[in-house]
Amino acid sequence: MLSAAALLGIAGGMAFYRSARPDPYRPGEALAEITSKLDLGIPEEAPAASFTDVTAASGLDGFRSFAGDRTSQLPEDMGAGAAWGDYDADGDDDLFLVSQGGPLGGAPEERAPSQLYENLGDGTFRENTGFPETRILGMGVAWGDHDGDGDLDLVVTGYGVLRLFRNDDGLFTRDQAVAEREGFWAGATWSDFDLDGDLDLYVCGYVRYIEDPEGTHKTTQQYGRAVPYTLNPAAFEPERNLLFRNNGRGGFEEVAESLGVHNPAGRSLGALWSDLDRDGVPDLYVANDISDNALFQLRNGRFEDVSHGAWVADYRGAMGLTSGDWNRDGDDDLFVTHWIAQENALYDSLLVDLQGSEREGLRFMDVADHRGLGQIALQLIGWGTEFEDLDSDGWLDLVVANGSTFETDEKPRRLRPQRSFVFWNRNGEAFHDLAPLIPALSEPRVSRGLALSDYDGDGDVDLLFVDRDAGVRLLRNDTAQGNRVGLRLRRPGGAPVEGTQVTARTPSGAVRRTLNSVSYLSQSSRTLHLGLGDTPRVDLLEVRWPDGGTQRFDDIEVNALLELTEGEEQPRRIASWTPSSPTPMTRDQLAEFWRLHRAAMDAMKVDGDLRRAIDLFEQALGLDPVHEGSLYYLANCRAETGDIEGALAGLDTLIRINPRSQRAHKRWGTLRATNAGEPSDLDAAVTALERASAINPEETGVSLVLGEVLLMRGDAAGARQRLEWVVRSNPQSGEAYFVLACLAWIGGDTALAIDRLERAAGARNEDWKPPGVVAEGEVLRKAHVESTPFEDLYDRWDGTPDPERALGPLLARLGRG
């Protein structure tokens, strides 16, 4: 219990805390000192930020967040979020979009539905129509593997909505472990707060809203503006928050009040789990609207509110929330977006600064105004926000989605649009808004949710905005990038490990990231992106897992996406990256590139010196990292020297540069199939080959390979369909007839097998010769032989029509010999 003196001290401190607040800024006021700060300009060294609106091209333009007209009630205007997560475990981020539905009085079947989109890996998305229909007054969303089966499950919140969807190998069903309950539920976030090995769930409650369609005629004052009281959160009592502790058996126990985190006085919109004091136990920071924010720390089995002592009991209207070590001083800081006239807050952690002092515990200082993030936001209302290194220079930049809550005068009344922010971090000294230079952000919107992901796998992070009055905007990042490393952090079961902290030690200093995400009602990718700038290497990578264990990795590959599994000694390379916007070559550099490229081709074709060809191709790509020919032939050389994973990674790079490269998809699928170690490899090969076929449906070579891979996968009917199309389109495809003969033989049709073998032999022209014989005038090696899984067997076949002799080797390869 606190002493009387302590209570008086706190009361005095709070009195000073409130009296020291500046006079409120009223929207539209012209203050010379603010204008001068807003007109400081952008430094010359700032990057040429480039973002392209690919919403329509990606297939996301059909989503709508709200169907119908507003009726000026609070749940209609709070907006909704989005969450990136690899639900099908195919290596790329899929996307769930929450719809706000429609007006409160509307029929449920008329609401706009929330939707799950599958990332197809080629820059486009396809709606997963098997997801349970979800027509709700939606708000928040978050992915998390609550049952530990390796699949990401999904929680969705809203007005009167709290739903958990269980994921079983991509099939989603309602999970009653978290039952629907009455309330106005906002942000949701997962964390293993009790460190027992499974994910727990915290859900923010906003207000106890009372529906009153007639109340839109009653007004209250908000910063000099008359607004319907049905839009003023201060007109309603706060809703409690919920903490669902995972019992490890597929169920949950709601323990928020018993553990002290139900936050009954807060109108909560978002919450962040993060080990801010680095003691090995997650802390919880809650963003409250028109209520003090709250920072909770777990002590002796119960949470304690340490907000005031840590100087983060933010009294303003908090909407969005994110964290990151923006100044690279070794601790995670907090950024909070606010309502109009309140500035945003950048709470700089003093954890490292106070080490060794008598001061214990967490303490933060709001430095937003000193770093260019305060007054610039006075006339705007901030919502979703994320720290991310958008140009990979080693410093975390900051994105803020803005949108008004004030109505227009038109009928029906709409909300006023506002422009959003993209702040570039200048070496931890100041932030500069680059959004005015980005055409894709030039039009003001009524934005709410914000979620970031490298959705196209090219090594830079892209932006997704959720607009209250429309749908979503996907902005592809085309900004030139420095060196970088991408990290997927997994448990042995395969799911991302929430709360993992990573530090990359480099010659130019340390770069830190923590795996968590809040934004506003949203969740960004679970893949960490570490920008390194000009630094060419990572000397040491330290990974601090949530259970307290630490692993160290040296000799980390730069410009690559790596998967790190807890307990495994070596990372696994998923992909390699090249600069997205290389500097234009000079005339001399261009001449040197072509000299190296031609020399590499000669080394490959004429000399058969693949090692030298690899070295020359790599030198050429050092001058032009995105040259498709060099990338393609380098991958083939690597494959022929046995470096299959290197070849696949190179082809991945080519596909990201040009998703329409049919030869890259085809070669990737062929290599993956011919070197398959497990059934999932064949599945991935089929996917790649189907994409190649979709690019050029008339090309029989892809269908030939696809037919053979389907046969390897045990799909005889699919293989037969593909191969019969090949021979109808190209009767000279002897290899297709050869494999069709095998299918007939497996089916017991000897006569048809013989017929197909005779046709296969007849397709060989008079110039055919056994392998290894080189005709006069031929080069020793072709530039590349478009191999197929069974090509070597067809080439070695001597032409006999006897099925048993001819097809024995093929049957043996299929495991039927």
Side-chain angles (χ1 to χ4, degrees), residues 270-567:
L272 172 76
W273 289 102
S274 185
D275 184 9
L276 297 171
D277 58 0
R278 303 178 69 180
D279 66 350
V281 180
D283 307 303
L284 177 66
Y285 188 65
V286 182
N288 292 321
D289 189 10
I290 59 169
S291 319
D292 285 358
N293 290 356
L295 175 61
F296 297 99
Q297 291 191 296
L298 189 61
R299 295 176 177 173
N300 301 317
R302 183 178 168 83
F303 286 93
E304 180 180 338
D305 187 339
V306 298
S307 317
H308 295 286
W311 295 353
V312 289
D314 197 324
Y315 52 84
R316 295 166 284 188
M319 316 302 193
L321 173 64
T322 187
S323 70
D325 188 4
W326 66 276
N327 52 3
R328 293 173 60 171
D329 65 350
D331 45 36
D332 279 348
D333 312 297
L334 301 169
F335 181 79
V336 185
T337 61
H338 291 129
W339 205 61
I340 200 166
Q342 295 179 347
E343 297 192 348
N344 294 332
L346 176 60
Y347 286 110
D348 183 32
S349 173
L350 304 180
L351 181 69
V352 171
D353 305 75
L354 296 175
Q355 282 182 348
S357 70
E358 295 182 0
R359 164 74 189 180
E360 294 183 358
L362 285 168
R363 182 174 289 179
F364 295 80
M365 181 174 292
D366 186 359
V367 298
D369 210 33
H370 304 289
R371 304 300 180 193
L373 297 175
Q375 295 185 25
I376 191 173
L378 279 172
Q379 300 185 56
L380 305 173
I381 299 178
W383 303 86
T385 183
E386 284 284 16
F387 278 118
E388 189 57 77
D389 190 349
L390 298 176
D391 59 349
S392 301
D393 67 348
W395 298 91
L396 289 178
D397 308 305
L398 182 67
V399 186
V400 180
N402 295 318
S404 182
T405 59
F406 293 116
E407 298 178 314
T408 63
D409 295 329
E410 60 187 330
K411 298 290 185 178
R413 294 196 173 193
R414 303 184 184 277
L415 298 178
R416 299 180 184 275
Q418 296 178 336
R419 63 184 184 87
S420 292
F421 293 129
V422 175
F423 290 108
W424 173 64
N425 183 348
R426 178 168 55 83
N427 301 325
E429 299 169 1
F431 288 88
H432 302 271
D433 181 26
L434 305 184
L437 305 180
I438 303 172
L441 284 172
S442 60
E443 183 181 351
R445 301 292 183 97
V446 184
S447 297
R448 294 292 188 262
L450 173 75
L452 277 53
S453 168
D454 179 14
Y455 83 96
D456 53 359
D458 62 355
D460 51 40
V461 179
D462 312 294
L463 315 179
L464 182 95
F465 292 85
V466 183
D467 295 331
R468 156 61 186 77
D469 56 345
V472 297
R473 284 173 294 147
L474 179 59
L475 306 187
R476 187 186 65 215
N477 188 353
D478 295 323
T479 307
Q481 300 291 307
N483 293 318
R484 67 272 200 202
V485 173
L487 298 175
R488 292 179 184 162
L489 306 163
R490 309 288 190 192
R491 290 193 188 280
V497 189
E498 301 291 329
T500 304
Q501 296 181 343
V502 175
T503 303
R505 309 283 179 186
T506 77
S508 61
V511 178
R512 296 180 62 257
R513 292 304 307 271
T514 301
L515 183 59
N516 54 31
S517 175
V518 178
S519 184
Y520 174 73
L521 308 176
S522 301
Q523 186 184 59
S524 293
S525 174
R526 321 318 290 143
T527 298
L528 287 184
H529 176 92
L530 279 69
L532 305 174
D534 295 333
T535 302
R537 69 179 190 275
V538 174
D539 296 323
L540 180 67
L541 185 72
E542 298 176 352
V543 181
R544 188 165 178 262
W545 304 100
D547 61 5
T550 300
Q551 284 184 268
R552 293 174 174 82
F553 304 87
D554 53 18
D555 196 24
I556 288 293
E557 182 178 357
V558 172
N559 293 321
L561 174 61
L562 308 174
E563 183 174 273
L564 277 63
T565 301
E566 186 175 9

Side-chain angles (χ1 to χ4, degrees), residues 109-189:
E109 62 271 15
E110 295 177 355
R111 296 170 183 163
S114 301
Q115 294 177 342
L116 173 62
Y117 286 91
E118 177 191 358
N119 189 335
L120 299 181
D122 59 358
T124 66
F125 295 84
R126 175 176 59 201
E127 183 185 354
N128 182 332
T129 56
F131 191 87
E133 184 174 83
T134 307
R135 295 180 183 269
I136 58 175
L137 305 174
M139 287 194 72
V141 59
W143 296 99
D145 179 19
H146 86 275
D147 52 5
D149 64 353
D151 294 326
L152 288 177
D153 309 302
L154 188 72
V155 63
V156 180
T157 70
Y159 179 61
V161 174
L162 179 55
R163 297 182 185 177
L164 177 64
F165 295 94
R166 179 187 178 93
N167 179 4
D168 291 304
D169 295 325
L171 177 65
F172 289 86
T173 55
R174 285 282 298 277
D175 190 334
Q176 296 301 327
V178 174
E180 197 94 274
R181 62 188 66 207
E182 184 178 346
F184 192 169
W185 309 116
T189 182

